[in-house]
Structures are given as C-alpha cells and as structure tokens.
Amino acid sequence: MKRKQKSRIITIGGIVAIAVLVGFMISLQVEAMRNNKFKRGFEKIVIDVNTLTQQYQGEESKWLAKNYNNSTMISVINQYLPKYQELIDRAEALDTPERYKESQGYLVSAIESEKQSNEHFRNYLVTHDRQEYDRSSDLLTKSLTDSANADAAIKAAG
C-alpha cells in the first residue's frame, strides 16, 4: 500500500472515530435533557396533586365540621373527580425514560387510588354502607404508600 493511501485511511479513520465520539456525546446530552424534562414534569404533577389533595381535604373538613351536609359533600366530590382524572392523564402522558417507568407507575397508581378513595367515600355518603367507608380508607392508605414508593423510585433512578 502506498504511503499516501495509508495516510488517507488513517485520516478517515480518525475522522470517523471523532464523529462516533461526538455522536455518542450528543446522545448522552439528549438523554440527559429527556431525563430532566421528565423529572420537571413529574415534579409539577406531584405539586399539583398535593395542592388538589389539600384543597379537597379543606372541603372535607367543612363536612366534618358540619358546615356541609352529605348532599353538598357528594357534590364537592363530583367536582373533584375530573380534576384527579386530569392529573392521571397527565402522569400517563409523560415521555418517560425507561429508568423512570417504575416511579411513573407508582405516581399514576397513587393518584388513581386517591380518586377511587373519594369515589368510595361518596358511595358511603349515599348508602351509609360501612364497607364503602372502609374501602375508601384502604385506598387512601394505598395512595400514600404509592406516593412514598414513587418518591423512592425516582430518587433511586437518579
């Protein structure tokens, strides 16, 4: 092989190696941006869920204080259910990197359980069936557990 040909092959090889390295670095940056975008979206949903929960609990405390009758509380619950569904939809729609799938699953489950808890509480108010009240309490406990698991999973994923 001629010296010029060897030099050309080495040059091309070097350029290819640099291009591969640059491509790899770009893919790492894109993945980091995707991870950050997911985490920001996740955090926003968590904040919105916490706010909604606090608002709902404020309404429930009015019922506990006898400021609301059962009918009014049922109406309040009905107004909140679509808000929980919107948060579930947002959580499910997140562009979730594989490493965060578990945390997303726990987040969706936590919101769904809280929503279902409210639905069973509403059923209790309508029927006075103690099993509905117990189911509501169990689902609220599940929601809190799933929330803690979501937090732990996102921290573990980095």
Side-chain angles (χ1 to χ4, degrees):
M1 210 183 288
K2 293 183 183 176
R3 187 177 206 197
K4 209 174 191 182
Q5 238 179 347
K6 283 184 183 179
S7 178
R8 185 175 284 166
I9 290 172
I10 291 171
T11 302
I12 291 172
I15 291 171
V16 168
I18 290 171
V20 167
L21 182 61
V22 168
F24 179 71
M25 291 174 67
I26 289 171
S27 73
L28 288 177
Q29 286 290 7
V30 168
E31 186 64 23
M33 288 183 340
R34 184 173 176 228
N35 289 343
N36 288 336
K37 182 179 177 188
F38 168 79
K39 289 190 333 188
R40 282 191 310 272
F42 184 95
E43 290 169 3
K44 175 77 170 108
I45 292 169
V46 168
I47 290 167
D48 291 348
V49 168
N50 289 339
T51 300
L52 185 63
T53 299
Q54 288 174 352
Q55 291 170 347
Y56 174 82
Q57 288 173 343
E59 298 291 337
E60 195 174 275
S61 68
K62 292 176 186 174
W63 175 79
L64 288 169
K66 307 286 186 212
N67 294 331
Y68 286 172
N69 62 25
N70 286 1
S71 177
T72 302
M73 191 63 208
I74 290 166
S75 176
V76 166
I77 293 169
N78 288 337
Q79 291 171 13
Y80 274 78
L81 293 177
K83 296 174 185 180
Y84 282 101
Q85 187 59 53
E86 187 231 325
L87 291 169
I88 292 166
D89 294 344
R90 282 176 49 203
E92 289 177 336
L94 286 171
D95 178 19
T96 308
E98 191 60 38
R99 69 195 284 184
Y100 296 112
K101 292 282 186 186
E102 183 180 29
S103 56
Q104 179 198 29
Y106 279 126
L107 177 62
V108 169
S109 180
I111 303 166
E112 285 177 341
S113 295
E114 186 170 346
K115 178 181 178 250
Q116 291 171 6
S117 171
N118 294 343
E119 290 170 337
H120 284 278
F121 183 60
R122 179 190 61 198
N123 294 346
Y124 165 73
L125 295 174
V126 170
T127 65
H128 303 288
D129 180 351
R130 184 66 187 188
Q131 288 181 335
E132 288 290 340
Y133 182 83
D134 293 342
R135 184 68 180 135
S136 174
S137 294
D138 291 345
L139 284 163
L140 193 55
T141 299
K142 181 181 183 321
S143 176
L144 294 171
T145 301
D146 286 342
S147 290
N149 288 338
D151 186 49
I154 201 162
K155 286 178 181 168

